[in-house]
Amino acid sequence: MDELLFNIQNKVRQATKDNKGVATIEIILILVVVLIGLVVVFKGQAAELLTKIWKAVTEGASSVTG
């Protein structure tokens, strides 16, 4: 039992010293926040653009199908 606790303590110490993935996680979180901000800021414009694109696609499809 003592050996198990010792191994767990060593693993926890190693995990706290190992910071390899921290930078990657920070970058991903920053990108997510920036993307959410862009969505909030350009929500109306993006919706309008998607509506125009969808309208063009449906009109084009109706001209092909008759």
Side-chain angles (χ1 to χ4, degrees):
M1 186 69 173
D2 289 335
E3 186 178 334
L4 177 65
L5 290 175
F6 181 73
N7 287 337
I8 291 173
Q9 286 176 342
N10 281 338
K11 295 288 183 184
V12 169
R13 285 185 189 127
Q14 288 174 354
T16 56
K17 290 180 182 178
D18 185 19
N19 294 328
K20 293 178 187 174
V22 173
T24 304
I25 293 172
E26 287 175 351
I27 291 171
I28 290 171
L29 288 174
I30 290 170
L31 288 174
V32 167
V33 169
V34 168
L35 288 174
I36 290 172
L38 289 173
V39 167
V40 169
V41 169
F42 296 112
K43 182 180 177 183
Q45 293 174 351
E48 183 180 333
L49 177 64
L50 290 174
T51 303
K52 287 180 182 180
I53 291 171
W54 187 252
K55 185 176 179 182
V57 168
T58 55
E59 287 175 358
S62 64
S63 69
V64 171
T65 59

